[in-house]
Amino acid sequence: MRKLPLILIIIIGYACAAAAWDIDKKYDGPKTPETDTAWHPDILPGYEARYVNQGEAFDGPCRSTIVRKLCGKGSRKAFLYIHGFNDYFFQKEMGERFVDSGFNFYAVDLRRYGRSKEPWQYPFNVRNQEEYFADIDSALLQIRKDGNTDITLGGHSTGGLTVAFMGAMKGKNIGVDRIVTDSPFLEWNYNSFMRNVGAPTVAFLGKIFKNSKIKQGHCDGYAYSLLKEYYGEWTYNTDWKMIYSPPVTFSWVGAINSAQSRLMKKAENIAVPILVMHSSRKIEGCNYTPEFQTGDAVLDPAMLQKRGEKLGHVREVCAIDSGLHDLILSNEKARNAAYDTIFSFIRRH
């Protein structure tokens, strides 16, 4: 019998050690889905939301949530925003910017995130990035039902990966006029060995140890750069967007790894114009320093630039000077540059 490579032994051992770890006490109650899908006032003043029943998933009934703010000017232009990992839609200013510019604004809290998370679900878990297509398509159906005919699909980080991946997989049937990405998760921020060996190995093991988990670093730098109570400008629910990222499942790693790979193989299949924005610099480190306010502490902008240049046929790839990982949560100058870039892109395409 052949011996397992050392990295497999280490990862399997870690999987067994981490398999029982969870954020909360294991849920053992009934899995009763939400049946009320009517519009209701959202947690963000001036917005409204409704649940969408997404049927049965691998972990039980699941739902997504559509959030909207209409501009009230008879506009037929809409922008749909998809959040990233360890995230949900809370960017009230973002919606207001689009509404003030004549767009009906929509956002989705994906299944197992934010407003949509059910008590029996492990947060942010996924086994195939295509699971999110149904959540996005439900929102697009609502957007068209509301009378919109010009639609921009936007996404941040893993949300950026998802919308680009959706564009590549659906081609001309994507159902939107253009795609906008904010620091899309197109590549792991690891060294070559971990990108080419480590992540694929965990992805492979994820087919066997689906719910085994990898603990994340106990890093506060990015969260502290965002939260008003520390050094940032923003307020959000830290139960939904946690200061310390929770462990991710092996199957989550597999889903991301597969989506990145399949996206690049089908990159030319993206049939609508696509914008890829990223920060101008990468920030190293774990715990907060003032430098965290000047760049991307999550992904490597150079990697995003390289991969972004291969997406679609009509593309724009650009750096936002001193932008944070979530560019629209950057300092005022940087986020204004991001908004200007988005609106200019929409006008041109």
Side-chain angles (χ1 to χ4, degrees):
M1 184 176 179
R2 294 176 63 187
K3 291 184 177 180
L4 288 172
L6 179 60
I7 188 171
L8 290 184
I9 295 173
I10 294 172
I11 291 173
I12 290 173
Y14 190 84
C16 294
W21 196 97
D22 212 334
I23 291 175
D24 302 306
K25 182 179 178 181
K26 186 173 177 62
Y27 180 82
D28 57 6
K31 295 183 178 181
T32 305
E34 173 67 52
T35 57
D36 184 4
T37 57
W39 288 104
H40 56 267
D42 187 49
I43 55 175
L44 295 177
Y47 289 76
E48 57 183 342
R50 75 174 183 88
Y51 299 121
V52 179
N53 184 349
Q54 296 294 351
E56 195 78 11
F58 64 84
D59 53 356
C62 70
R63 66 184 180 185
S64 60
T65 309
I66 303 172
V67 183
R68 74 180 179 186
K69 185 177 180 64
L70 305 180
C71 72
K73 299 178 181 178
S75 173
R76 293 184 178 273
K77 298 185 296 181
F79 187 91
L80 173 60
Y81 173 74
I82 310 300
H83 60 76
F85 173 74
N86 186 19
D87 206 354
Y88 72 103
F89 174 64
F90 65 90
Q91 294 90 337
K92 186 172 181 289
E93 181 193 78
M94 182 186 194
E96 291 168 351
R97 290 259 194 155
F98 277 94
V99 166
D100 289 346
S101 298
F103 291 79
N104 294 310
F105 181 84
Y106 298 78
V108 173
D109 272 13
L110 299 169
R111 57 188 68 188
R112 307 182 191 93
Y113 283 87
R115 300 165 178 81
S116 302
K117 185 183 175 299
E118 300 281 20
W120 57 84
Q121 295 173 331
Y122 186 78
F124 325 141
N125 198 16
V126 68
R127 292 184 177 173
N128 185 329
Q129 214 69 7
E130 289 187 56
E131 289 179 46
Y132 297 137
F133 291 2
D135 302 0
I136 296 170
D137 280 335
S138 296
L140 291 174
L141 184 64
Q142 179 67 58
I143 289 169
R144 295 187 197 99
K145 183 179 178 181
D146 288 346
N148 296 285
T149 56
D150 183 281
I151 305 171
T152 303
L153 176 59
H156 163 61
S157 197
T158 54
L161 167 63
T162 300
V163 299
F165 179 45
M166 189 171 174
M169 297 305 293
K170 293 201 170 192
K172 294 180 181 178
N173 297 318
I174 182 65
V176 302
D177 296 278
R178 62 198 68 80
I179 294 171
V180 168
T181 65
D182 169 354
S183 304
F185 191 7
L186 303 179
E187 179 64 286
W188 298 100
N189 185 14
Y190 297 142
N191 60 37
S192 178
F193 176 79
M194 287 302 296
R195 289 198 313 271
N196 298 316
V197 178
T201 298
V202 174
F204 172 77
L205 290 173
K207 298 176 182 179
I208 306 169
F209 306 103
K210 291 182 172 63
N211 292 320
S212 293
K213 300 176 179 73
I214 301 174
K215 290 186 178 181
Q216 305 297 286
H218 200 66
C219 298
D220 59 33
Y222 182 50
Y224 282 17
S225 71
L226 298 179
L227 283 163
K228 184 179 288 186
E229 62 191 279
Y230 296 101
Y231 306 99
E233 299 180 48
W234 313 102
T235 300
Y236 52 81
N237 185 337
T238 54
D239 289 330
W240 289 355
K241 182 177 176 64
M242 304 173 199
I243 292 178
Y244 302 104
S245 177
V248 294
T249 62
F250 277 27
S251 59
W252 181 90
V253 174
I256 295 294
N257 204 64
S258 174
Q260 290 174 340
S261 176
R262 293 168 68 195
L263 167 60
M264 298 317 298
K265 288 177 181 177
K266 290 182 171 288
E268 293 188 356
N269 201 39
I270 297 175
V272 296
I274 184 167
L275 171 66
V276 178
M277 300 185 298
H278 57 75
S279 178
S280 59
R281 61 179 59 85
K282 175 183 177 181
I283 302 300
E284 302 280 5
C286 182
N287 298 116
Y288 181 83
T289 65
E291 191 178 25
F292 273 82
Q293 301 285 2
T294 67
D296 192 329
V298 179
L299 298 179
D300 184 346
M303 293 180 178
L304 305 189
Q305 176 75 30
K306 184 177 179 180
R307 288 206 161 189
E309 289 173 349
K310 299 177 181 179
L311 300 182
H313 300 278
V314 179
R315 77 185 74 85
E316 294 183 21
V317 185
C318 65
I320 303 299
D321 186 35
S322 303
L324 301 185
H325 174 57
D326 192 336
L327 296 168
I328 64 165
L329 299 181
S330 304
N331 64 64
E332 185 175 11
K333 181 179 179 181
R335 70 177 182 267
N336 282 342
Y339 283 122
D340 288 346
T341 300
I342 293 170
F343 288 127
S344 295
F345 175 79
I346 293 174
R347 285 194 298 271
R348 286 193 298 272
H349 301 286

